[in-house]
Amino acid sequence: MEKAPYPVPPLGLCLLAACLRDHYEVKVYDGVFDEGKSLVALVEHFNPDYVGFSIRNIDDIVMDREIFYLDGILDKFIRPVMAATDVPIILGGSGFSIFPVECMKLTGADYGIVGEAEVILPALLDRLQFNLDISMLPNLITSEDWKIQTGSSFSYSKPILKRFSEIDSWIDFTHYLQKGVYSIQTKRGCSHRCIYCTYPLIEGIKFRTRKPADIADEIEQAHKRLGFITFEFVDSTFNDPAGHAELICREIISRKIKVRLRTMGINPRHTSDELFELMLEAGFYQIDATPDSASPKMLKNLGKGFDLPEIEKMALLIRKYNIPTMWFFLFGGPGEDDQTFMETVEFIENHINPADLVYMNAGLRIYPNTPLYSIAVSEGRIITGDAVFQPPAYYFTEKITRSRLDQMMKEVSMLYPNCLPALETSPSPEMIAEALTLRMSKQFDEPMFRTLLRIRKKWRGEGKI
Ligand code: B12
């Protein structure tokens, strides 16, 4: 249901539907805009033998906001469907994969699959259909004992199936044409070891890349169907392993198609002139840079795997090629203090284009099975086995108080209008309206965040904010 920062189409569900369609009749219901209104009628009409729910977001990982999505997911989708049908309910999705046992218990679902499910979901349905043994299916969890069946490396070590999601063939994509994007993966897995991160748990610890030609084919075909749209790469990091991103760009360039591309997660370690030149030529108009910190001590403490000179090199390239960038910094991790905070601020002052957005978040979500969880246990903040699910648990350094860090972030944002604390990142309707007018009148072809920053600076000058 979340529509911020923009609505994201259900890529995982559509990939699964594409895998099931050879042997099953499949319907995908997109809850993002309908929010459950027509779901029960659809279930009654379609009369399925199984219902699967994709649980993407559990909570919003902003310490002071603490939105807990699962209650709404239960009320608007899962409970009404359970009341309307007795067929087996199967859960999956990235949020679910972090908290499978908790989600199973809370929802009362029959089955769940942890992690990617292109192979295991069809195998589960085939076995259920013929009453065959399912106890050997890896990554499966059942309501019988809520234990994740072993063999968890099974799917994570296999190559990614060659399937195109064809998102727009499963759902009404018109909703996404205006504000949204067409999501696409170039790989799965992450071999980095950021202490708080769940990506290796959800996708596996080894990068498993897709063939650049397949990725370009997928983009080309979607482009033919939908016209000039934005494609977003939803990988853990786009330019890992080294060289893969360059090959993808070359493939896209060779197709001579006009598309807009954007990506999250550029790893500073593998950036170069060649990468940025290729990205621009392929159609990138916006990227995210997520170093989390620019303090050498914090980069080490957070297990980022790259160092300050590498971030500086990336920042220089970003400015040289003027690629609009949203920067993300995460404060309050183990060892964060006044000095480490100021080191990051110094980097922002010296290296980041004032036309680019700097997003400042404080407090690290503690997830099970991560190094941060172990740190929190060793520091006596939580006890082994403690639920960090609900209310969502956060780590915050002892070396600065929360109010002091908030004050310092506020000061930075007063000094630099392009720096925004997490709670202030949703622009008001008035700001959006003014940005839209400005874009129309000046024919701006820049990412919306840059226009919003222009308005923010103007309003700051006028004392409006
Ligand atoms: C890309 C991404 C983003 C991008 C989205 C861009 C886009 N165009 O989609 C951006 C940066 C915008 C974003 C924003 C947010 N994100 Co995000 N995001 C991700 C990320 C990295 C990948 C998601 C993805 O598309 N995966 C690719 C698809 C193919 O995989 P999948 O959906 O997992 O599907 C597979 C399996 O899960 C399974 N499966 C899926 N559904 C089902 C259903 C059934 C029945 C079964 C059996 C299996 C199954 O099979 C699928 C195919 O193999 C994940 C982390 C991760 N590595 O998963 C976080 C993640 C989902 N995000 C998360 C969060 C919290 C958010 C935000 C709320 C953050 C915020 N405050 O802004 C917002 C919400 C945005 C929204 N509108 O919903 C969290 C959710 C966990 C939690 N705490 O709730 C995650 C897990 C990251 C984390 N912190 O651990 N995100």
Side-chain angles (χ1 to χ4, degrees):
M1 291 170 294
E2 183 55 83
K3 290 167 198 65
Y6 45 88
V8 298
L11 171 64
L13 268 189
C14 295
L15 281 170
L16 296 182
C19 288
L20 288 172
R21 105 171 115 200
D22 291 346
H23 300 283
Y24 295 88
E25 200 184 331
V26 191
K27 228 179 218 333
V28 177
Y29 165 81
D30 179 11
V32 174
F33 297 94
D34 186 63
E35 298 195 355
K37 286 183 217 80
S38 63
L39 179 58
V40 167
L42 178 83
V43 169
E44 283 167 350
H45 181 252
F46 186 56
N47 196 20
D49 296 310
Y50 307 95
V51 177
F53 288 96
S54 180
I55 302 181
R56 183 197 194 277
N57 303 325
I58 303 287
D59 54 85
D60 80 335
I61 55 171
V62 178
M63 194 171 172
D64 292 325
R65 209 159 37 195
E66 286 192 12
I67 296 174
F68 194 72
Y69 296 107
L70 209 50
D71 291 334
I73 294 172
L74 260 174
D75 289 348
K76 291 190 171 164
F77 305 102
I78 301 184
R79 284 201 186 111
V81 168
M82 280 178 155
T85 174
D86 289 330
V87 301
I89 302 291
I90 307 166
L91 304 183
S94 38
F96 170 81
S97 301
I98 306 173
F99 295 108
V101 177
E102 293 83 349
C103 291
M104 291 294 287
K105 288 184 179 169
L106 198 68
T107 56
D110 302 284
Y111 306 99
I113 295 171
V114 178
E116 68 189 38
E118 279 93 340
V119 175
I120 302 167
L121 182 60
L124 173 67
L125 298 192
D126 292 349
R127 282 174 173 70
L128 290 176
Q129 197 86 329
F130 298 107
N131 252 322
L132 299 174
D133 179 28
I134 54 166
S135 64
M136 296 309 286
L137 284 181
N139 295 2
L140 180 73
I141 176 167
T142 73
S143 54
E144 236 166 67
D145 58 5
W146 292 317
K147 285 208 176 80
I148 299 163
Q149 296 182 173
T150 48
S152 60
S153 61
F154 170 81
S155 58
Y156 297 149
S157 57
K158 287 262 189 298
I160 305 173
L161 287 189
K162 188 186 161 176
R163 293 277 173 190
F164 294 174
S165 63
E166 295 179 355
I167 303 177
D168 50 298
S169 72
W170 297 105
I171 61 166
D172 179 0
F173 199 71
T174 47
H175 292 303
Y176 298 94
L177 284 176
Q178 257 197 333
K179 269 173 124 192
V181 289
Y182 195 101
S183 311
I184 187 161
Q185 267 186 323
T186 75
K187 73 177 78 65
R188 284 198 183 144
C190 188
S191 39
H192 298 294
R193 294 280 180 281
C194 304
I195 59 165
Y196 55 82
C197 189
T198 56
Y199 297 6
L201 302 170
I202 301 170
E203 300 182 11
I205 54 170
K206 244 181 76 183
F207 288 120
R208 289 168 295 143
T209 52
R210 292 178 65 198
K211 285 200 183 94
D214 290 348
I215 299 159
D217 281 348
E218 190 171 3
I219 291 177
E220 195 172 17
Q221 289 174 19
H223 172 67
K224 269 195 192 127
R225 295 192 304 271
L226 295 163
F228 182 59
I229 54 167
T230 302
F231 291 89
E232 178 169 26
F233 296 111
V234 295
D235 308 352
S236 48
T237 48
F238 174 63
N239 55 331
D240 276 314
H244 190 238
E246 288 83 343
L247 292 175
I248 295 165
C249 292
R250 284 187 209 285
E251 272 292 339
I252 296 169
I253 294 165
S254 74
R255 311 291 167 112
K256 297 192 171 46
I257 42 176
K258 192 167 159 39
V259 285
R260 266 180 190 264
L261 304 171
R262 56 179 286 177
T263 186
M264 343 186 312
I266 293 286
N267 181 359
R269 177 147 293 174
H270 299 139
T271 51
S272 62
D273 281 289
E274 185 198 8
L275 175 70
F276 280 89
E277 277 163 14
L278 285 169
M279 283 174 70
L280 281 177
E281 201 182 337
F284 277 89
Y285 81 111
Q286 176 178 344
I287 61 169
D288 289 355
T290 51
D292 290 341
S293 175
S295 147
K297 175 177 146 192
M298 288 311 295
L299 289 171
K300 215 160 154 246
N301 289 1
L302 294 173
K304 294 303 294 179
F306 46 77
D307 56 24
L308 181 57
E310 285 168 318
I311 308 176
E312 287 171 348
K313 180 187 81 181
M314 173 173 75
L316 273 174
L317 289 165
I318 286 174
R319 290 198 78 152
K320 178 172 171 190
Y321 291 98
N322 191 21
I323 294 194
T325 302
M326 295 209 280
W327 289 81
F328 292 80
F329 293 99
L330 188 49
F331 298 109
E336 185 91 76
D337 55 22
D338 280 40
Q339 193 192 328
T340 60
F341 178 83
M342 286 317 295
E343 284 166 357
T344 297
V345 173
E346 218 169 277
F347 169 83
I348 295 171
E349 284 167 347
N350 295 333
H351 294 277
I352 296 186
N353 182 345
D356 281 342
L357 180 72
V358 176
Y359 178 96
M360 303 181 290
N361 203 352
L364 282 63
R365 177 73 165 97
I366 303 174
Y367 290 115
N369 306 313
T370 57
L372 185 64
Y373 186 98
S374 311
I375 293 171
V377 170
S378 72
E379 292 178 356
R381 294 160 181 262
I382 53 175
I383 301 166
T384 310
D386 256 7
V388 286
F389 174 61
Q390 188 190 23
Y394 285 86
Y395 184 100
F396 194 82
T397 175
E398 288 164 341
K399 300 193 170 174
I400 328 182
T401 60
R402 188 60 223 272
S403 56
R404 175 154 172 75
L405 187 75
D406 282 348
Q407 184 55 33
M408 292 200 297
M409 289 198 304
K410 220 179 181 143
E411 282 163 16
V412 171
S413 118
M414 287 309 288
L415 212 55
Y416 305 103
N418 62 325
C419 297
L420 283 130
L423 286 175
E424 286 173 31
T425 44
S426 297
S428 65
E430 296 76 35
M431 191 178 272
I432 295 175
E434 193 167 329
L436 288 174
T437 316
L438 186 67
R439 286 170 78 85
M440 290 271 276
S441 67
K442 301 258 181 199
Q443 301 277 299
F444 280 149
D445 186 27
E446 61 185 11
M448 184 64 171
F449 81 81
R450 278 205 166 170
T451 317
L452 287 165
L453 282 180
R454 288 174 193 271
I455 309 284
R456 202 176 143 78
K457 279 177 206 160
K458 185 174 148 251
W459 284 13
R460 179 64 61 75
E462 293 166 358
K464 265 194 181 169
I465 49 169

